[in-house]
């Protein structure tokens, strides 16, 4: 009886493995793009196959490869070649070689649409949620200011108000500098070049 129990367990586990293999179909395996779309926001216009969207494949000097996706309805921040205007608009549509943004014309009270060619994009501003670093970006500068302010308005070792010392400025300044570094990691400006490529993909 003791020998029979392990044999039954092994047969049961073998049947589970065989059943799993029978139900596995490589053709039905989701690609990385499909997995992302299944997890994406429902507010994006991705309900039908054939929906085009922007992809920025970035390989910065600091940090690894990362893919940023921009769908119709998403906000996009960029600069164009030979222009100083900073665009911060919503994507209205995407085609094979360009995307269209909606710009409010306050003079006539209507929405105008402007088609932007991908080859005319010089720089894009992107954001990336990095655990702890993204949360620290706004908190560290604030902590630095509070630290300096607390020392300035309270009595210190010299028993005087409205004074501070070098060590306090160094610590507070270091906190603010660390916050700036965290901000640059979270919100990066990427030049479109051979390392950072902007292209169009399509849902399927």
């Amino acid at each position: 009886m003791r020998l029979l129990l392990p044999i039954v367990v092994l047969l049961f586990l073998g049947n589970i493995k065989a059943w799993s293999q029978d139900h596995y179909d490589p053709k039905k395996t989701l690609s990385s793009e499909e997995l992302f779309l299944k997890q994406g926001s429902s507010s994006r216009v991705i309900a039908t196959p054939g929906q085009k969207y922007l992809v920025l494949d970035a390989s910065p000097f600091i940090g690894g490869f990362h893919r940023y996706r921009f769908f119709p309805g998403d906000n996009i921040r960029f600069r164009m070649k030979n222009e100083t205007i900073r665009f911060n608009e919503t994507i209205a549509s995407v085609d094979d070689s360009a995307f269209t943004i909606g710009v409010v014309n306050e003079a006539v009270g209507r929405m105008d649409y402007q088609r932007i060619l991908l080859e005319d994009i010089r720089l894009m501003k992107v954001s990336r949620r990095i655990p702890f670093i993204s949360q620290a970006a706004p908190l560290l500068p604030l902590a630095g200011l509070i630290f300096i302010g607390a020392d300035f308005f309270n009595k210190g070792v010299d028993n005087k108000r409205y004074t501070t010392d070098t060590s306090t400025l160094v610590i507070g300044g270091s906190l603010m500098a660390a916050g700036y570094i965290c901000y640059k990691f979270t919100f990066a400006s990427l030049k479109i070049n051979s390392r950072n490529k902007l292209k169009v993909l399509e849902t399927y």
Side-chain angles (χ1 to χ4, degrees), residues 78-82 97 115-123:
F78 63 94
R79 288 190 182 187
M80 299 178 65
K81 297 177 181 177
N82 303 320
S97 60
R115 188 169 181 266
I116 308 293
L117 294 174
L118 299 187
E119 61 184 20
D120 291 337
I121 302 298
R122 174 173 61 90
L123 181 146

Side-chain angles (χ1 to χ4, degrees), residues 141-156:
L142 180 61
L145 288 174
I146 293 175
F147 186 81
I148 295 174
D151 182 71
F152 182 78
F153 289 105
N154 293 296
K155 293 181 180 180

Side-chain angles (χ1 to χ4, degrees), residues 2-190:
R2 294 180 180 178
L3 183 60
L4 182 62
L5 181 60
I7 294 175
V8 172
V9 172
L10 288 175
L11 289 174
F12 177 74
L13 294 176
N15 288 332
I16 291 178
K17 183 176 181 180
W19 180 84
S20 300
Q21 291 177 344
D22 290 339
H23 285 75
Y24 172 74
D25 186 357
K27 295 180 181 179
K28 296 180 180 180
T29 304
L30 297 179
S31 66
S32 59
E33 292 297 321
E34 290 175 313
L35 289 172
F36 174 81
L37 295 178
K38 287 175 68 66
Q39 298 173 359
S41 172
S42 60
S43 63
R44 288 167 166 166
V45 186
I46 58 174
T48 58
Q51 170 64 57
K52 292 180 173 62
Y53 61 98
L54 296 177
V55 166
L56 174 59
D57 287 338
S59 300
F61 290 103
I62 300 177
F65 170 84
H66 191 73
R67 169 168 284 184
Y68 300 91
R69 300 167 176 85
F70 303 90
F71 293 86
D74 286 347
N75 185 261
I76 186 170
R77 293 178 290 176
F78 63 94
R79 288 190 182 187
M80 299 178 65
K81 297 177 181 177
N82 303 320
E83 289 191 19
T84 58
I85 301 175
R86 298 180 180 180
F87 289 90
N88 186 1
E89 306 295 342
T90 301
I91 300 174
S93 62
V94 180
D95 57 48
D96 291 332
S97 60
F99 62 93
T100 302
I101 58 174
V103 181
V104 178
N105 189 333
E106 297 181 355
V108 295
R110 69 182 183 191
M111 179 73 75
D112 292 336
Y113 293 93
Q114 181 178 353
R115 188 169 181 266
I116 308 293
L117 294 174
L118 299 187
E119 61 184 20
D120 291 337
I121 302 298
R122 174 173 61 90
L123 181 146
M124 289 189 65
K125 189 83 170 181
V126 296
S127 61
R128 184 179 181 183
R129 299 295 298 177
I130 305 175
F132 302 110
I133 293 179
S134 297
Q135 289 86 344
L139 297 178
L140 288 176
L142 180 61
L145 288 174
I146 293 175
F147 186 81
I148 295 174
D151 182 71
F152 182 78
F153 289 105
N154 293 296
K155 293 181 180 180
V157 294
D158 57 358
N159 201 30
K160 294 181 181 179
R161 294 181 184 272
Y162 312 116
T163 61
T164 186
D165 54 21
T166 304
S167 62
T168 300
L169 293 176
V170 169
I171 296 173
S174 298
L175 289 172
M176 288 187 282
Y180 176 76
I181 294 173
C182 292
Y183 175 85
K184 295 300 290 184
F185 274 113
T186 303
F187 302 96
S189 297
L190 301 176

